[in-house]
């Protein structure tokens, strides 16, 4: 017996010998697990189609207008399995469900026989960290030659935690420009230019692209299908692995282009966008989505990261990685020696939520009383999509509210000339936040202070009364010092997810009033005073 | 704003500004979490003091003889917090509980001001992997010079997954001999010798020791206090960090030495062992434990790994790491960029199990009706210890049963001479398994087959009818090829945890009968036939 992971796995086959007395596994006997029973009350999948606002808070029964309770009871089955050691691939029923769901609704056009495989992860931060372990070599400044340093292409503004995960491995983040359709391919700062003009004395030419295609964080763009094809072609030519991080896959906003155009008095074409799937799934919600890079992946160069953080709850720490089987197999070994597996508790609870009593025949269901039907646990593909679409609808409405308020308040009449535009932004096509660029060069004190100094003063000013708004400075999403210093300071990210809808409305208003008040400041002393005030002061 | 982890953490302080409208956090609003309520039925802490056998299976209500239900109901509180993004340190109430528990019952003698700190992990495989990331540099054969290769000292037989985790980093496992008191310090193959005689042309002298002090896996030894002090002194001298992996901390078996001696007709001294804590905790169960290395850790060189896998359930994937604060702080950054945090679901469920309604005054409790008291959720330090001791008692009884059966069956009368001893073993002082060494050199066919060939044949023979027993070959616990080839093949690990008590008895008997039957084989052809039989065959 050797001690390679594959041999351990091979050893497990003997567990299946009929009637074997298994004295080999270091598994505690299930009678020692102190949990006898776990029960949950979960939302009905159509909660957000029936409830007009997000007043329903967790731990509070959610009642509809007619008094009907908006939830289901579930007992978590199979406890002795899920509380035991499991395999690194994940709890088998959940894995099957997710594999099929990914194939049918996310990938759609399976580009190779049997399609990509999946492995359960502890969410996308874990997933990305595992992929980096698999595909990159660490590099240390001073110790290793700079020509050996590996790099990761990414959007010019990107997710903070992804940047942080790459840093301790000594990887170079290589930003690529972004426009309304996603990563720029051709032209200044575009993918093609960055790769063609690569200077190998500054590190190896990157072999990885980290991209957030839907509701890019922080910019809110959704890459069009046309653009995805162009990007894939370039990656194919330069042999680049695409890491597709898609936590907001389900949060795209079809109303955004129309409402944005309408708010700005610009004509809007209603013709069908080119970026839809070539064939219809029959579900308009799905057909309105842009395709995963996996659907184009004839080379097997795409690794997709999915998570339940934005669709169920971040506290799950549960997600899945989809890629060609050779990649998921390698990730299996990394999982085995790091997290071992995602928590069985959570896998069981999410499996039960998603699948419920799928096995019960529909005819049986019809025979049940109303009360029984109400407590029947019947999420499945269709209901899971219904839930996702319901969540999407609520976030879309939040996005629209915030953008409408920003739209109204983004001008100020300083003189009798045309009004000053304080900031510009696009209505996000997906995701959870609005990315605004401030026109600090139009501030009355632009000659007295540097742009970054004004940006910092405005951020501090926002914390103070009566504004009392915390927004994230663009520097936090700048993958390099250069971008942070040159342009990052101009931006703020405003997230419309964390507060209630009512708070969202008030806070967005306080923000635009705050920007206007900041623009009304015209003495140097006043700006200096802002930096001295303790924001915690009442 | 820069983008170091510490700055992200610094940014979080602004979340606490009173009445702040927080548009910065990318947190989904809790109203979108589909879980309204989670309820569990858990064991009463004294389940194993009252129930005489382990017949109570999960998902089946456990009734005592008088008909009383042996469990409690709990509602998981604070759902909107635990389902949200949390910090990498862990859920704050759970972290406080575990920190205090570790200080009071595991460390006991706090060696420096404020004592070690803790960080929640996803179990000990995750914990060990994070510690390796923190404290080792990777090494690649062929690319890096052999003198740069780092090493990890470990017991001569060690935990498979730990060995596997070190392998992909190119670390050299450096085995140290083990005797009944744990790692050997002085003498051949002992810690002192290995370090003093280190040949730097074969790699760097190791700066890490990986050790399982209680119920060492697979040998079942418990390191004595005297020995721990000697090991600590050597590690201090050679500046070695001690990684103390202690999943079976609570599973020590005080009856083992006495029953072993009695079974073998050897006198047994009842005098108090030297390896107890210097001062009493007042709880005999705790006072019977050997101290953690953390209690000796004046230098701050110990990193301890604890897990709920053997005390609650492996499926938790939950544990904690205890070390000096500078180490836990560094692990915090690694956690942030890998698992992000352990699942909030599980942290909440375990917190609720361990702490219950600790806040409710005892006087209030006394006023409740019997039924209310029965459903009252009242685990706490004392009851957690009661549960652990109950579990220990059941495993101790299993260990005793298995060892008694092995003891009876380990001789065979081949001729009129003295009986042949088929195998030797020690009654384990802790853990979950018995480690037996086969005397293959005494097999009738020892002249015809090599030892490893006989070992493999016996392992196959055990799988077949009527034996039908799966045991783990010693090779799986051999940290180096050399140990596997020289000695690993002589051993088998028999775990008494995974099956029911009844199966344990039957399986152990089938094992000893199988060994005797294997010794009765005296033709070469018969052994060759064993290797040809498909073990899955009915």
């Amino acid at each position: 017996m050797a001690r390679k992971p594959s041999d351990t796995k091979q050893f497990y086959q003997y567990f299946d010998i009929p009637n074997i007395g298994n004295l080999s596994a270091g598994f505690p006997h299930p009678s020692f697990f102190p949990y006898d029973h776990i029960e949950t009350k979960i939302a009905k999948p159509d909660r957000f189609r029936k409830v007009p606002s997000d007043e329903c808070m967790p731990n509070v029964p959610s009642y509809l207008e007619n008094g009907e309770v908006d939830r289901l009871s579930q007992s978590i089955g199979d406890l002795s399995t899920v509380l035991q050691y499991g395999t690194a691939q994940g709890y088998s029923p959940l894995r099957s469900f997710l594999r099929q769901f990914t194939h049918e609704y996310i990938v759609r056009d399976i580009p190779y026989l049997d399609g990509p495989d999946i492995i359960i992860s502890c969410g996308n931060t874990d997933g990305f960290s595992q992929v980096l372990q698999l595909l990159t070599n660490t590099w240390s400044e001073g110790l290793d030659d700079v020509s050996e340093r590996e790099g990761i292409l990414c959007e010019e503004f990107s997710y903070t935690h992804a940047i942080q995960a790459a840093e301790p491995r000594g990887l170079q983040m290589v930003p690529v420009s972004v426009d309304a359709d996603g990563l720029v391919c051709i032209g200044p700062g575009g993918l093609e230019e960055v790769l063609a003009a690569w200077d190998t004395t500054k590190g190896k030419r990157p072999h990885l692209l980290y991209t957030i295609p839907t509701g890019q964080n922080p910019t809110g763009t959704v890459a069009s299908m046309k653009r995805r094809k162009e990007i894939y072609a370039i990656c194919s030519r330069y042999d680049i692995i695409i890491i597709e991080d898609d936590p907001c896959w389900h949060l795209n906003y079809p109303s955004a282009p129309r409402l944005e155009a309408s708010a700005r008095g610009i004509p809007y074409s209603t013709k069908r966008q080119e970026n839809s799937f070539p064939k219809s799934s029959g579900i308009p919600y799905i057909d309105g989505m842009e395709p995963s890079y996996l659907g184009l992946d004839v080379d097997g160069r795409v690794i997709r990261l999915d998570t339940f953080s934005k669709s169920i709850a971040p506290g799950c720490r549960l997600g899945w990685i989809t890629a060609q089987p050779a990649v998921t197999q390698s990730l299996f070994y990394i999982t085995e020696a790091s997290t071992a597996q995602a928590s069985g508790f959570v896998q069981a609870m999410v499996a039960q939520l998603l699948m419920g009593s799928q096995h019960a025949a529909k005819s049986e269901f019809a025979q049940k009383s109303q009360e029984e039907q109400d407590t029947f646990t019947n999420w499945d593909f269709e209901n899971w999509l219904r839930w996702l679409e319901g969540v999407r609808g609520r976030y879309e409405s939040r996005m629209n509210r915030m953008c409408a308020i920003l739209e109204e308040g983004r001008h100020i009449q300083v003189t009798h000339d045309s009004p000053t535009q304080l900031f510009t932004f696009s209505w996000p096509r997906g995701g959870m936040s609005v990315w605004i660029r401030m026109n600090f060069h139009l501030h009355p004190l632009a000659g007295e202070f540097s742009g970054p100094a004004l940006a910092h003063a405005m951020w501090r000013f926002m914390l103070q009364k009566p504004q009392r708004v915390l927004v994230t400075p663009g520097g936090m999403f700048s993958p390099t010092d250069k971008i942070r210093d040159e342009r990052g300071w101009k931006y703020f990210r405003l997230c419309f997810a964390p507060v209630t809808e009512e708070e969202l409305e008030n806070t967005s208003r306080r923000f635009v009033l705050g920007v206007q008040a900041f623009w009304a400041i015209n003495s140097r002393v006043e700006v200096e005073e802002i930096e001295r005030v303790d924001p915690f002061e009442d």
Side-chain angles (χ1 to χ4, degrees), chain A residues 67-126:
Chain A
E68 188 195 341
V69 179
D70 178 27
R71 62 193 198 185
L72 306 165
S73 288
Q74 286 190 328
S75 294
I76 310 302
D78 209 9
L79 268 194
S80 58
T81 304
V82 299
L83 299 187
Q84 193 52 278
Y85 286 106
T87 76
Q89 288 174 302
Y91 179 52
S92 168
L94 179 65
R95 194 169 158 264
S96 301
F97 180 97
L98 293 176
R99 188 171 189 277
Q100 202 187 333
F101 183 84
T102 305
H103 279 196
E104 287 185 25
Y105 299 101
I106 298 179
V107 185
R108 298 276 302 282
D109 289 314
I110 305 289
Y112 46 86
L113 195 68
D114 296 334
D117 205 358
I118 75 159
I119 179 169
I120 304 277
S121 73
C122 297
N124 284 7
T125 305
D126 175 49

Side-chain angles (χ1 to χ4, degrees), chain A residues 54-304:
Chain A
D54 65 347
E55 283 154 28
C56 53
M57 293 291 293
N59 300 325
V60 176
S62 172
Y63 291 93
L64 301 179
E65 275 158 36
N66 58 5
E68 188 195 341
V69 179
D70 178 27
R71 62 193 198 185
L72 306 165
S73 288
Q74 286 190 328
S75 294
I76 310 302
D78 209 9
L79 268 194
S80 58
T81 304
V82 299
L83 299 187
Q84 193 52 278
Y85 286 106
T87 76
Q89 288 174 302
Y91 179 52
S92 168
L94 179 65
R95 194 169 158 264
S96 301
F97 180 97
L98 293 176
R99 188 171 189 277
Q100 202 187 333
F101 183 84
T102 305
H103 279 196
E104 287 185 25
Y105 299 101
I106 298 179
V107 185
R108 298 276 302 282
D109 289 314
I110 305 289
Y112 46 86
L113 195 68
D114 296 334
D117 205 358
I118 75 159
I119 179 169
I120 304 277
S121 73
C122 297
N124 284 7
T125 305
D126 175 49
F128 184 55
S129 152
Q130 297 211 15
V131 171
L132 289 187
Q133 277 182 64
L134 179 65
L135 298 178
T136 66
N137 292 302
T138 54
W139 179 88
S140 304
E141 185 146 24
L143 279 175
D144 298 315
D145 193 87
V146 74
S147 66
E148 288 298 308
R149 189 179 187 191
E150 298 182 0
I152 306 181
L153 297 153
C154 65
E155 278 102 1
E156 61 183 322
F157 293 105
S158 191
Y159 176 54
T160 322
H161 283 292
I163 302 168
Q164 282 170 5
E167 233 170 31
R169 298 186 69 83
L171 303 170
Q172 184 176 185
M173 298 306 290
V174 181
V176 174
S177 295
V178 169
D179 67 14
D181 280 333
L183 284 163
V184 170
C185 286
I186 312 297
L191 193 57
E192 176 69 46
E193 193 197 73
V194 167
L195 289 165
W198 189 260
D199 177 358
T200 52
T201 63
K202 289 179 182 157
K204 284 190 178 176
R205 197 173 64 201
H207 66 295
L208 292 176
L209 166 64
Y210 171 78
T211 181
I212 306 169
T214 316
Q216 202 269 338
N217 187 358
T219 63
T221 52
V222 174
S224 68
M225 186 173 189
K226 182 165 175 288
R227 186 62 63 83
R228 291 183 201 216
K229 284 181 174 168
E230 290 165 7
I231 291 165
Y232 190 88
I234 295 173
C235 289
S236 204
R237 188 138 33 90
Y238 287 92
D239 198 15
I240 287 164
I241 306 281
I242 299 172
I243 307 170
E244 173 181 58
D245 183 11
D246 216 359
C248 292
W249 166 81
H250 59 300
L251 301 178
N252 69 338
Y253 305 129
S255 65
R258 185 174 46 80
L259 293 176
E260 179 187 87
S262 153
R264 295 174 186 176
I266 299 166
Y268 170 70
S269 150
T270 55
K271 90 166 168 53
R272 188 155 172 72
Q273 302 295 301
E274 205 183 345
N275 55 10
S276 61
F277 272 99
K279 59 182 181 189
S280 169
S281 69
I283 301 166
Y285 170 52
I286 287 293
D287 288 349
M289 306 273 201
E290 276 58 21
S292 163
Y293 279 103
L294 281 169
L296 312 169
D297 190 23
V298 287
D299 305 339
R301 64 174 64 258
V302 176
I303 303 176
R304 179 181 165 87

Side-chain angles (χ1 to χ4, degrees), chain A residues 350-420:
Chain A
V350 170
Q352 192 77 28
L353 178 85
L354 294 179
M355 289 182 273
S357 312
Q358 249 190 346
H359 49 276
K362 294 221 169 181
S363 58
E364 267 182 61
F365 181 65
Q367 284 165 22
K368 288 176 189 285
S369 70
Q370 185 59 48
E371 200 197 339
E372 280 174 323
Q373 286 191 15
D374 284 346
T375 58
F376 194 69
T377 58
N378 61 341
W379 286 39
D380 52 15
F381 281 171
E382 204 181 307
N383 280 315
W384 175 230
L385 288 170
R386 187 166 297 167
W387 170 261
L388 294 176
E389 192 178 355
V391 169
R392 190 270 301 262
R394 300 309 314 152
Y395 278 122
E396 188 167 20
S397 138
R398 284 161 168 261
M399 182 277 290
N400 287 336
R401 285 201 209 189
M402 181 184 263
C403 286
I405 293 166
L406 293 174
E407 202 69 61
E408 278 171 36
R410 73 188 169 115
H411 293 95
I412 193 172
Q413 194 79 34
V414 184
T415 65
H416 290 288
D417 303 336
S418 60
T420 304

Side-chain angles (χ1 to χ4, degrees), chain A residues 456-492:
Chain A
H456 193 265
M458 187 188 118
W459 181 77
R460 295 277 298 193
F461 182 71
M462 281 296 161
L463 293 179
Q464 292 158 21
K465 278 187 159 182
Q467 290 76 238
R468 276 285 193 259
V469 184
L470 177 62
V471 295
T472 317
M476 306 257 300
F477 307 98
S478 301
T480 63
D481 291 348
K482 185 164 179 281
I483 289 196
R484 186 175 66 237
D485 298 344
E486 278 181 10
R487 297 180 281 135
W489 55 270
K490 294 181 189 172
Y491 294 85
F492 292 106

